[in-house]
Amino acid sequence: MTENKNQNSVVPENHPRFQSLKYRHKIIEGMKNLVVAEAGLIAHGRGECFDYILGEKTNKAAKKAIKAAVAMLLLANHPVISVNGNTAALVPKELVNLSEVLNIPLEINLFYRKKGRVEAIKKVLENAGAINILGIDEDDMVTLDGLESNRRLVDKLGIYQGDCILVMLEDGDRTEALKKLNKKVITVDLNPISRTAIWGDITIVDNIIRALPEMLAIIEELKDLKKEKLRKIVQDFKNKKNIQDALNLIKDYIDTQKKDAFKILEIKN
Ligand code: PTJ
């Protein structure tokens, strides 16, 4: 059972949408604690919709992208994991594990900088075991060129000097700005044709709740490989082709679901 205390509702584990409801409640709780922006609820709903038409599982294209992403992170000189409200609410432990295993800093970077949010997210990450979190102290922040939104505020020791940035659930502007600054961008975005997805160097079309554990598993496979082998994995990965594959998966999934739904409709009538 998972309980959403403030709403007095309990979701039974055999509920067909148990997983989905569990994560919805995390997002709702996150919003009440200032971790998630109000707009984060809408972003989550959009993600759910894409996840539904991707079959709610990590597909082959996503697995390829995850492998290339891990190789790229292992090769980078100053990689950084960018954390927003939704990621902190949904996968705090996985973010901290990823940061520890790869020795990569976590940097809080927000679109909506409502008072108290940075501190709320810091607390969630610290409760999950994070020690050194960037993007906290305004004195350590500088602004990124070519960006008007709050995401332009970055940590001198983090995204500002980073060469490879992992961004999840993003608005497109920042990915574009990071690319113009010659940084490599790895994205996790369920919408394969969002601006973030299109501008990223490696686009993982998957739900962060599955993509991050999968990344952690792949790190175990790749962490001892020689640099040439890692470079080959990155070079062989073609993001455009991978995005096309993700879109084809959506088309195939909808076709199959349509057939199944029509079988039921025919029996029903
Ligand atoms: O915490 P803040 O202030 O930094 O704000 C975060 C949000 C998410 C509100 C902000 O970045 C935003 O408005 O994002 P967008 O433009 O709505 O884009 C979010 C993208 O993430 C959409 O393409 C969604 O389909 C996708 N998405 C939503 N949930 C997930 C997801 N992708 C992967 N995993 C998810 N769980």
Side-chain angles (χ1 to χ4, degrees):
M1 297 256 194
T2 182
E3 196 177 353
N4 183 6
K5 290 182 194 110
N6 293 343
Q7 298 210 346
N8 261 342
S9 62
V10 173
V11 184
E13 277 171 39
N14 62 356
H15 189 288
R17 306 290 310 154
F18 174 77
Q19 281 294 325
S20 163
L21 293 174
K22 185 174 97 178
Y23 286 104
R24 271 189 188 183
H25 290 172
K26 282 185 193 272
I27 287 284
I28 293 168
E29 284 306 311
M31 193 200 73
K32 289 178 179 161
N33 301 333
L34 284 179
V35 171
V36 174
E38 283 92 342
L41 264 71
I42 299 163
H44 185 80
R46 188 191 300 185
E48 275 192 349
C49 183
F50 277 104
D51 207 13
Y52 191 77
I53 56 173
L54 272 158
E56 292 175 310
K57 54 178 190 264
T58 303
N59 54 68
K60 267 192 203 161
K63 283 190 180 165
K64 271 193 202 167
I66 286 171
K67 192 169 178 186
V70 168
M72 189 178 264
L73 287 168
L74 287 167
L75 285 166
N77 292 320
H78 295 290
V80 181
I81 302 169
S82 182
V83 179
N84 66 15
N86 288 50
T87 54
L90 294 175
V91 282
K93 287 215 166 69
E94 291 81 354
L95 287 169
V96 173
N97 287 349
L98 202 61
S99 153
E100 275 174 6
V101 177
L102 288 170
N103 196 18
I104 299 185
L106 294 169
E107 175 168 342
I108 300 174
N109 180 275
L110 302 181
F111 190 82
Y112 300 99
R113 284 184 83 87
K114 187 176 178 177
K115 200 168 179 305
R117 283 198 68 213
V118 171
E119 293 70 23
I121 293 171
K122 177 176 177 265
K123 197 168 144 202
V124 164
L125 294 175
E126 282 175 348
N127 287 343
I131 294 165
N132 186 14
I133 306 162
L134 301 175
I136 310 274
D137 193 338
E138 300 265 330
D139 292 342
D140 296 331
M141 312 290 263
V142 283
T143 52
L144 273 188
D145 285 343
L147 198 56
E148 296 299 320
S149 78
N150 284 324
R151 290 209 194 279
R152 72 186 186 284
L153 292 172
V154 292
D155 200 298
K156 273 186 262 184
L157 298 176
I159 292 169
Y160 183 69
Q161 62 157 11
D163 60 344
C164 177
I165 322 293
L166 172 61
V167 300
M168 296 161 267
L169 281 105
E170 279 272 348
D171 35 286
D173 294 1
R174 186 166 62 136
T175 306
E176 228 176 301
L178 292 172
K179 282 310 305 162
K180 286 187 180 143
L181 293 168
N182 285 325
K183 297 179 193 289
K184 295 278 180 204
V185 179
I186 298 168
T187 70
V188 184
D189 192 331
L190 277 159
N191 177 0
I193 46 171
S194 72
R195 272 184 310 143
T196 303
I198 299 295
W199 275 88
D201 293 280
I202 297 178
T203 303
I204 301 167
V205 183
D206 198 12
N207 197 322
I208 51 162
I209 63 169
R210 295 185 303 268
L212 262 60
E214 181 72 18
M215 281 178 94
L216 286 160
I218 299 294
I219 290 167
E220 287 308 305
E221 259 179 52
L222 302 192
K223 69 176 189 221
D224 297 322
L225 286 190
K226 292 222 165 82
K227 286 203 168 173
E228 289 105 86
K229 290 227 163 120
L230 294 174
R231 269 189 216 110
K232 173 105 176 68
I233 294 172
V234 175
Q235 275 160 10
D236 288 349
F237 178 79
K238 303 287 173 248
N239 207 37
K240 184 176 163 198
K241 159 95 177 54
N242 213 252
I243 288 174
Q244 258 163 5
D245 289 348
L247 285 167
N248 287 336
L249 277 162
I250 291 178
K251 271 167 57 188
D252 293 347
Y253 185 75
I254 291 178
D255 278 347
T256 314
Q257 290 299 101
K258 187 173 140 197
K259 275 187 206 137
D260 291 351
F262 271 78
K263 265 187 219 153
I264 297 171
L265 281 171
E266 273 158 27
I267 297 165
K268 223 180 91 192
N269 298 328

